Amino acid sequence: MALLAPGPRVLCRDLCAAAPREAAVAAPSSAAACSTVGGARSALGVGLWRGGGGRGASRRRGGGLRAEAAYFWDAAEPVEMDEIDSMDKLDAALAYSVDNNQPVIIDWMASWCRKCIYLKPKLEKIAGEYPGVRFYFVDVNKVPSAVVKRGNISKMPTIQLWKDGEWKEQVIGGDKAWLVMDHVREMIQKYK
């Protein structure tokens, strides 16, 4: 069963409308949070919490609803990664990096690897966040061994960043998916 979530603007509109007027006056940042929802790279959502009452929490007059900004989800559209299936395509991808002075991300994966299959759509989501950076994937079972040797690949999944035709950094996807994605974002920011 598919679960459909409202967009961040709709969510913010509904939640901000539900909050009493007094809460908006008590927390002026909530209006600013609602106006910034829906950025190109990430979206802000608004959460509502009951004020006061907890251990160590200060009791405020009113104790009404308070709206605060929090990262809710990315608004970036996924971009399908191109496949590298020969040495010529690998050379062309690396030539793009040299010509445009942009990093290239290559996901070395295998069709039998569950972690690889799980990480691929997450990388496509990151590809939507960085329009100048090209993302590729290589199925190591479908390419000649010379391509795999050129990438110096021994474990799957391996996500490498190449810039100016040279390998710069890599992450081997044995960690939790969110850690791998954070490391990929850090690599891109470092070499962009």
Side-chain angles (χ1 to χ4, degrees), residues 160-170 187 191:
Q160 294 180 333
L161 183 136
W162 293 67
K163 187 166 182 185
D164 299 327
E166 297 178 3
W167 171 84
K168 298 291 185 182
E169 205 168 329
Q170 74 180 8
M187 287 190 313
Y191 289 101

Side-chain angles (χ1 to χ4, degrees), residues 79-86 89-90 93-94 103-127 133-143 147-148 150-162 167 169-174 177 180-181 184 187-188:
V79 175
E80 191 171 335
M81 297 190 308
D82 295 326
E83 183 175 11
I84 294 176
D85 57 4
S86 66
K89 287 189 178 180
L90 179 61
L94 299 179
V104 171
I105 301 292
I106 302 177
D107 176 22
W108 300 85
M109 59 170 294
S111 58
W112 49 263
C113 171
R114 287 186 180 181
K115 183 73 110 175
C116 302
I117 294 167
Y118 182 72
L119 288 177
K120 187 177 176 204
K122 295 184 180 328
L123 283 170
E124 290 173 342
K125 186 78 168 177
I126 291 177
V133 179
R134 290 218 177 149
F135 284 68
Y136 298 94
F137 74 96
V138 179
D139 188 341
V140 297
N141 294 329
K142 294 182 181 178
V143 296
V147 175
V148 178
R150 177 135 182 227
N152 196 20
I153 303 303
S154 60
K155 297 175 185 166
M156 257 74 65
T158 298
I159 303 163
Q160 294 180 333
L161 183 136
W162 293 67
W167 171 84
E169 205 168 329
Q170 74 180 8
V171 59
I172 297 174
V180 173
M181 296 303 110
V184 169
M187 287 190 313
I188 293 171

Side-chain angles (χ1 to χ4, degrees), residues 29-30 32-34 36-37 43-49 66-72:
S29 65
S30 65
C34 288
T36 59
V37 172
L44 290 174
V46 173
L48 297 175
W49 289 273
R66 183 179 75 214
E68 291 185 8
Y71 285 102
F72 201 71

Side-chain angles (χ1 to χ4, degrees), residues 26-27 50-53 57-64 66 68:
R50 271 280 161 214
S58 64
R59 297 251 183 213
R60 292 189 183 128
R61 187 169 50 95
R66 183 179 75 214
E68 291 185 8

